[in-house]
Amino acid sequence: MRGTRCTRLCVAGVMAASTLIATPAARAAERTDGHLTDLVNPFIGTQNEGNTFPGAAVPFGMVQLSPDTGHMTGYDYAQSRIRGFSLVHLSGVGCRIGGDLPVLPTTGDVTQTDAAQYAAAFSHQDEGASPGYYHVGLASGIRAELTATERTGVQRYTFPATGKANVLLNAAQSLHKRVSSTVEILDDRTVRTEITGHGFCRDTGPYTVYTITRFSRPFTAYGTWDGSTVTPGARSGPGGAYLRFDTTRDRTVEATTALSYVDSRGAATNLRAEGGRSFDAVRRRARQLWEARLADVRVQGGTTTLRRTFYSSLYRSFLAPNIGSDADGRYFGWDRRTHYAKGFTYYQNWSLWDTYRTQAQLLALLAPREARDMARSVVAIDEDGGWLPKWGYGPVETNVMSGDPVTPFLTTAYHMGLLKGFEERAYRALKKNADGVPPAEYPGIGREANAEYIARGFAPFVKDRPLAKMGDSDYHHGASVTLEYALADAMLAQMARGLGHPADAARYAARSRAYRNIFDPSTGFFRARDASGAFTGSADPALGTGFHEGTAWQYQWLVPQDLPGVVRLIGGKRAANDRLDAFFAYDRLLADPARTAREVWVHGDPYAYYNAAVYNPMNEPDLIAPYTYLSTGQPWKTTDVVHAALTLFTDGPTGITGNDDLGTMSAWNVLSSIGLFPIQPGYDTWGLSTPLFDRVELTLDRRYWPGGRLTVTAPGTSATERYVQSVRADGRPHGRTYLTTGALRSLRSLAFTVGPRPSEWGTSPQAAPPVLK
């Protein structure tokens, strides 16, 4: 469909963009004491493939102790039986992973060893969660409570009065594919396990986790199982263990489980460092950690539902990456060896194809100390194992997704001032990654199609090319890979120039124009080319041939380094704006934004990535697309589209569209709600759009942000008063549609004046975001 063009001063239809669609809310903590943690609903995204988890974790913790109901990533709100409470979950991933060591309390004799069979029924009416805490009443009459530290999960079970209260530790079952497992009962309070499984999406890996569980009191009996054979009194085995307690008088049992990716000694070290405290003490600390983290952003205005949705997104943005080093600094590297993180915390779990677009920038803004260590960790992966990661789970490369996401991730860190002291080390790793491919013996594929891309200016689409290594192949997505490589080259060129490498900068800048090589004038869209150089596949840009999780319609705007160049290819600003209006169904959006978002943009299940000519807010390729209007002279339309998309975030289990992808979609919500968005991921350009709140106060780390505080105001912002009339930065008029990181560093206030109609603000050619040369 084609949208109706609208002049700058046209009157837009009333748009309920600030009013979230109501959905039945899961039982999050009600706000009773004024704490920001009471506004967080961990159940958001636990249904319809948001793939979040409701369990207990602290910010960036190694442990995410959460219930598993049988869904591939752990918890599905639509299911009603819990198989166990396991240690490892990733928030919002799209493949089976984690779920290590599911633990479940039971009563009576232990006769069943399959978690799917002994799973306990429960009701959402007797279930609740808040940051760092989860509880549920099981149909068996047992109450389970969970909390966590950085490297331990703490459980408290309240049993009926019985002499046969059991805790089952199932080392042989998890969400991923098991390779091997062992369980050992060390004494009358302690159990040790070693669990090896394959990695994310496919049989990558393997990786091993080590645990030690310490109970608050001695158990009265124990046993292990192997397959379906239960052996009372046995101390070791490959399957699981049961521990029995007498709860006729004392009905409560607490247990602390420490995790390590290094070895059993590491688990013991983590238990000594973080164990030994009561459940309630650990829960209080977890709540305090989350309260301090959330308090760095204070919003005023909007409805309670809007604030709850916002803070829940902010919470999910801080769940990953995850601590990978033990309390003594040891971590297990990608070279399968043990290393020490000297002077920093080592992090792992890198969903880079997703997070480089939003979450990396949000963490650099609000958690720069941790974000610096995360960048150092990624560089350490290269220095330990020989190459930069693509999609890393624990200590293994999975090769999931395509392109070169690690480059804009690290160049973001560079421009945000997070690489000081190791800029050249990071640059050497990036240059090696950008100019070559990993050796055959290395498990990662890097920029797999780099040789052809460098020689011919595009990555070829080779549909049936066999996989050289486990994971995805860049050759299977040649069109989108060309765009991703070109974006990465543009960002690396800016870093090279900043570090004083002009020849490299010129070379990478020239390569960043490779997007032109896959533009097909006969269709007016980007299109895959085969190994001979011929355009290939369907000429229909809605079919997605050669594009990864998207179509040519959706990828056409993924050239943030040179949107004016794309506009010229399309035929000029008028043609580009007409196409943007059609893409966003803009005429329908003005009439009914929320319905358009939910019924036109969301065109199927969360994995419906293809066969579409409209905006897909459920997936990463389109995250920057609404901000394209900033480059075409119609910035008010960015506000219209962004505010419509924000209605898809709701306060209920289905409140995220598509996978959250380790905080990526949540970070999009946070940044877009504030009115600051990284429109050139990997560089330092922040696009401006109307905030959702009257006032947002950001408390910033002065070591990285000298101003220490940034206040963003938009008095009276609402569904009807949503268009920017003017912007003032520290009281001075600001006519551009963007700010640089350099400008943000010392800025104390950013004031938006809003009104009911579009204005001339940001419409001049000089107001548009820069072209990266």
Side-chain angles (χ1 to χ4, degrees), residues 575-598:
N577 280 321
D578 285 349
R579 187 175 291 187
L580 282 165
D581 290 350
F583 180 62
F584 291 114
Y586 188 71
D587 53 347
R588 297 178 64 176
L589 179 152
L590 287 179
D592 194 338
R595 184 174 182 178
T596 300
R598 200 159 290 276

Side-chain angles (χ1 to χ4, degrees), residues 141-383:
I142 302 169
R143 176 179 172 85
E145 299 173 88
L146 312 177
T147 189
T149 70
E150 284 80 356
R151 300 172 180 86
T152 73
V154 185
Q155 307 147 66
R156 179 164 64 190
Y157 301 125
T158 303
F159 290 90
T162 177
K164 292 184 177 181
N166 312 304
V167 177
L168 310 184
L169 281 70
N170 198 334
Q173 290 185 293
S174 58
L175 299 173
H176 57 76
K177 183 177 179 180
R178 171 179 168 266
V179 174
S180 64
S181 60
T182 60
V183 58
E184 300 175 82
I185 299 173
L186 301 181
D187 56 39
D188 62 0
R189 292 185 184 217
T190 313
V191 180
R192 179 170 62 199
T193 71
E194 179 178 328
I195 302 165
T196 299
H198 282 299
F200 181 65
C201 279
R202 297 168 181 84
D203 291 344
T204 53
Y207 71 97
T208 301
V209 294
Y210 305 85
T211 78
I212 293 183
T213 301
R214 179 77 171 168
F215 288 88
S216 58
R217 58 190 175 105
F219 32 84
T220 59
Y222 56 85
T224 65
W225 67 78
D226 180 2
S228 61
T229 302
V230 179
T231 307
R235 287 187 170 271
S236 64
Y242 71 89
L243 303 315
R244 177 159 294 163
F245 299 87
D246 186 342
T247 59
T248 53
R249 293 186 177 181
D250 182 355
R251 295 174 55 196
T252 301
V253 175
E254 294 186 9
T256 300
T257 301
L259 176 66
S260 171
Y261 287 84
V262 179
D263 52 27
S264 294
R265 179 164 68 90
T269 297
N270 294 338
L271 185 62
R272 286 193 301 271
E274 300 180 15
R277 287 171 285 180
S278 70
F279 182 94
D280 289 331
V282 174
R283 179 187 174 187
R284 284 194 298 271
R285 178 179 178 271
R287 181 179 173 89
Q288 290 165 358
L289 289 173
W290 279 114
E291 191 67 35
R293 185 66 65 182
L294 298 174
D296 284 340
V297 185
R298 297 277 185 175
V299 302
Q300 296 177 22
T303 64
T304 299
T305 299
L306 187 61
R307 291 193 298 274
R308 187 180 296 119
T309 303
F310 176 85
Y311 278 107
S312 297
S313 290
L314 186 61
Y315 160 78
R316 291 189 299 272
S317 299
F318 293 132
L319 287 171
N322 305 105
I323 293 170
S325 52
D326 291 336
D328 61 3
R330 294 190 309 151
Y331 68 90
F332 194 64
W334 288 34
D335 57 355
R336 320 302 293 174
R337 297 179 179 178
T338 300
H339 301 269
Y340 279 90
K342 297 179 181 178
F344 73 104
T345 298
Y346 180 80
Y347 288 87
Q348 58 190 20
N349 299 337
W350 304 106
S351 184
L352 294 173
W353 187 80
D354 311 291
T355 59
Y356 88 78
R357 307 164 200 261
T358 58
Q359 195 230 18
Q361 293 83 358
L362 182 64
L363 296 188
L365 184 68
L366 298 178
R369 181 175 60 84
E370 292 86 353
R372 174 177 168 83
D373 283 359
M374 291 168 189
R376 291 185 68 177
S377 300
V378 168
V379 174
I381 290 172
D382 172 81
E383 295 176 343

Side-chain angles (χ1 to χ4, degrees), residues 25 56 78 91 119 160 183 204 266 337 348 378 386 429 446 508 519 574 576 579 602 616 683:
S91 182
V183 58
T204 53
R337 297 179 179 178
Q348 58 190 20
V378 168
Y508 294 132
F519 185 79
R574 175 171 294 187
R579 187 175 291 187
V602 178
N616 182 2
Y683 194 51

Side-chain angles (χ1 to χ4, degrees), residues 397-630:
E397 174 64 86
T398 70
N399 293 319
V400 169
M401 303 314 297
S402 55
D404 178 16
V406 72
T407 292
F409 172 83
L410 280 177
T411 60
T412 290
Y414 168 71
H415 289 293
M416 300 291 273
L418 304 180
L419 299 186
K420 290 182 179 178
F422 63 105
E423 299 101 319
E424 288 293 344
R425 288 166 55 191
Y427 180 73
R428 286 195 298 270
L430 285 168
K431 183 177 179 180
K432 178 177 63 177
N433 175 74
D435 291 341
V437 293
E441 64 273 13
Y442 185 75
I445 63 172
R447 290 170 58 144
E448 185 185 18
N450 216 19
E452 294 91 335
Y453 169 80
I454 292 172
R456 307 186 65 187
F458 65 91
F461 168 60
V462 187
K463 179 180 179 180
D464 297 319
R465 182 185 175 100
L467 290 174
K469 300 174 184 178
M470 190 60 65
D472 289 309
S473 171
D474 283 359
Y475 290 103
H476 295 172
H477 313 284
S480 59
V481 162
T482 299
L483 298 175
E484 298 272 13
Y485 286 4
L487 185 157
D489 282 341
M491 305 312 163
L492 188 54
Q494 304 308 309
M495 182 177 180
R497 185 171 293 113
L499 291 176
H501 304 294
D504 285 351
R507 180 162 55 88
Y508 294 132
R511 280 171 30 181
S512 76
R513 308 295 179 231
Y515 72 88
R516 300 170 182 168
N517 298 329
I518 61 166
F519 185 79
D520 183 357
S522 70
T523 64
F525 285 87
F526 297 127
R527 193 174 172 194
R529 297 176 68 172
D530 64 20
S532 73
F535 289 111
T536 187
S538 172
D540 184 347
L543 293 183
T545 302
F547 293 88
H548 204 169
E549 295 189 0
T551 69
W553 268 99
Q554 291 152 3
Y555 269 94
Q556 66 187 316
W557 316 113
L558 192 63
V559 190
Q561 69 272 24
D562 186 21
L563 279 173
V566 175
V567 168
R568 287 191 294 272
L569 289 176
I570 290 173
K573 281 188 178 181
R574 175 171 294 187
N577 280 321
D578 285 349
R579 187 175 291 187
L580 282 165
D581 290 350
F583 180 62
F584 291 114
Y586 188 71
D587 53 347
R588 297 178 64 176
L589 179 152
L590 287 179
D592 194 338
R595 184 174 182 178
T596 300
R598 200 159 290 276
E599 296 183 6
V600 179
W601 295 348
V602 178
H603 55 275
D605 67 58
Y607 300 108
Y609 300 133
Y610 304 105
N611 302 315
V614 293
Y615 173 51
N616 182 2
M618 301 187 294
N619 205 30
E620 279 70 16
D622 276 357
L623 292 183
I624 312 171
Y627 295 89
T628 305
Y629 283 118
L630 301 184

